[in-house]
Amino acid sequence: MLRSIRAQLSLSIMLILLLTVALISVLSNWIINNEFEDYITRQEHQRSESIVTDLGNRYDSLKGGWDHNLLHTIGMYSLYDGYLLKIYSIDGTLLWDAENHDMSLCGQIMGEISTRMSQAKKHGDFVTNTYDIIRSGTKLGSVSIRYYGPFFFTENDYLFINTLNTVLLAVALLSTGVAVIAGGLLARRITQPVVKTAYIATQIAQGNYNLRFDSTPNAKELEEMGRAMNHLTQALSDQESLRKRLTSDVAHELRTPLSAVGSYLEAMTEGLWEATPERLQSCHEEIKRLGVLVADLERLAKIEDGNLQLNMANTDLFEIVQTAVHNLEPKAMKKELSLFIEGDPVIVEADRERMIQVVMNLLSNAILYTQMHGHIRMKVWKDHQAGLIRVEDDGIGIAEDELPFIFERFYRTDKSRNRKTGGTGIGLTIAKSIVEAHGGKIEVTSAVGMGSCFTVTLPEK
Ligand code: ADP
């Protein structure tokens, strides 16, 4: 079974954090407890030594004996601290014994210590160490000290270590909680854009192109992915609307001449209309229009085939422009347009026939979309190892929002459509394909009512 990235990420992040928390808790607990036990053991050893020194200091060397009251005081103090003393004189006589003195108190104190240690889960037993009591190098007697070994906790020690363990446990639990929440949040943050991408992709597959990444994720790669996705959706959406427009355009382009010819012929065969040469001529015109459209489509299909064979040779762009102007001069004269050519010969490697086709396309558009008595300027020049041709008119112009589409097949601006100028909307598509096959580019600037300016750039080689 496949698990979601989010679940896998959350689980991995949580596991790593939990492992870290557990390791830190266990290690710190172990180190602190060990250190504390070492400290207590050292303390207890020192305490035994200080009892022996204390006893030595209490010996009255003038009288050559022990003060029993002092021995009793030291013995009782030690007993309350958990040390049972048996004090002997130099000849081995028992001077003071905690158990003899108060058996039940000894039992109670030892019992308390045993219980505390078993509660703390520290196992040991009572040990007895015997020390000589020595002062200034002379042995004065001996003392045997009995206590819970190797170490024991006083009530305060026990309280301290208990509190410490509780605090450590609380910190571990708190860190675990934070680890779980942080892991979940982090995974969510990483996977959210991925989930959204998948969702948008599914929507695209279902034909919905309106979804976009609105918030940008704050990681570089995810941001790039979001941008790429938005770009893709936009491109697909544009393509889709173009495709719809294209189909309806083909239908529209075919329907008008077909229905005209159809109704003429119907009327003539039914005897409603006489088949005059003018009527037959107009049928012929419509069929010619259809022929042009089909020929344009064929040319486009050939060029976009990808196997466009170019006859590359050294070609003068200025001569190409002159040829195009020569071919279209009659059309321009009909509209009484002024044509200007400017520039010098510029030699580039290109397919002469195809480039004449490109320039004729641009020039015939300029003638078509410029009013009577308008002006068309053409310029040829060289710049940075590239040859450039410009065709500029002061005609109807193209709206800014339509500019990105004019090179798409069948695209005709609303203005040119309204004027019924009769173009097929394929000319610029063909021009662009040819220029790009040469490794060049074609650009346009235009303003409605001011005119348009098309610039073709071709690399020298
Ligand atoms: P068409 O055969 O319709 O001219 P093109 O592909 O050559 O097709 O041009 C596409 C559209 O771009 C035209 O229908 C027209 O609306 C617009 N266009 C092209 N050249 C010009 C121009 N010089 N001035 C204004 N509009 C232009």
Side-chain angles (χ1 to χ4, degrees), residues 365-366 368-369 393 396-398 406 411-413 416 423-429 452 454:
N365 278 345
L368 207 56
Y369 302 114
D393 63 60
I396 61 169
I398 303 162
I406 59 164
Y411 194 88
R412 294 161 67 190
T413 64
S416 70
T424 56
I426 294 180
L428 284 180
T429 318
S452 312
F454 287 82

Side-chain angles (χ1 to χ4, degrees), residues 264 268 275-288:
Y264 285 0
M268 286 184 229
T276 60
E278 293 82 45
R279 283 176 181 150
L280 289 173
Q281 174 65 26
S282 111
C283 280
H284 187 224
E285 289 292 324
E286 293 299 338
I287 288 179
K288 261 190 357 201

Side-chain angles (χ1 to χ4, degrees), residues 183-410:
L185 284 180
L186 199 67
R188 190 180 131 97
R189 229 168 108 140
I190 295 174
T191 52
Q192 215 173 22
V194 179
V195 173
K196 180 123 194 222
T197 305
Y199 177 68
I200 293 181
T202 320
Q203 288 297 309
I204 290 176
Q206 289 167 4
N208 177 8
Y209 302 100
N210 297 327
L211 290 172
R212 297 283 185 281
F213 267 96
D214 28 21
S215 61
T216 34
N218 47 4
K220 200 169 145 238
E221 295 82 355
L222 296 178
E223 202 242 71
E224 264 169 30
M225 186 180 77
R227 235 177 322 123
M229 200 64 202
N230 279 351
H231 196 75
L232 176 76
T233 324
Q234 188 58 47
L236 283 172
S237 161
D238 288 350
Q239 281 295 320
E240 178 65 9
S241 52
L242 209 76
R243 191 179 63 78
K244 282 186 185 149
R245 195 164 181 159
L246 186 127
T247 317
S248 72
D249 276 0
V250 173
H252 177 82
E253 299 291 328
L254 293 176
R255 194 187 321 113
T256 321
L258 271 179
S259 65
V261 174
S263 57
Y264 285 0
L265 291 178
E266 196 180 2
M268 286 184 229
T269 46
E270 284 177 2
L272 298 174
W273 269 14
E274 204 184 319
T276 60
E278 293 82 45
R279 283 176 181 150
L280 289 173
Q281 174 65 26
S282 111
C283 280
H284 187 224
E285 289 292 324
E286 293 299 338
I287 288 179
K288 261 190 357 201
R289 260 174 63 80
L290 275 174
V292 171
L293 178 65
V294 173
D296 271 356
L297 278 172
E298 260 176 0
R299 265 194 301 158
L300 183 66
K302 221 185 217 167
I303 288 166
E304 289 195 333
D305 190 17
N307 299 321
L308 178 63
Q309 289 291 323
L310 293 174
N311 277 329
M312 300 296 264
N314 280 345
T315 312
D316 180 3
L317 294 182
F318 194 69
E319 187 267 330
I320 285 178
V321 169
Q322 280 176 321
T323 311
V325 168
H326 178 76
N327 291 346
L328 292 171
E329 222 161 9
K331 267 192 179 177
M333 273 163 65
K334 266 197 210 157
K335 288 179 91 174
E336 294 176 34
L337 301 172
S338 314
L339 280 181
F340 304 95
I341 312 180
E342 183 190 332
D344 303 301
V346 172
I347 308 290
V348 298
E349 201 169 76
D351 182 328
R352 182 172 175 273
E353 294 309 318
R354 302 267 187 206
M355 282 315 293
I356 289 178
Q357 205 178 329
V358 170
V359 179
M360 276 180 66
N361 262 329
L362 297 180
L363 186 56
S364 66
N365 278 345
I367 295 170
L368 207 56
Y369 302 114
T370 303
Q371 301 88 339
M372 291 287 286
H373 309 294
H375 303 82
I376 297 173
R377 284 167 221 283
M378 309 190 66
K379 189 179 168 189
V380 179
W381 77 105
K382 195 179 147 171
D383 187 28
H384 289 103
Q385 319 208 309
L388 291 100
I389 303 171
R390 172 178 296 160
V391 181
E392 196 174 358
D393 63 60
D394 54 2
I396 61 169
I398 303 162
E400 203 182 331
D401 56 342
E402 297 199 276
L403 272 182
F405 303 107
I406 59 164
F407 293 101
E408 305 290 348
R409 77 203 66 160
F410 288 121

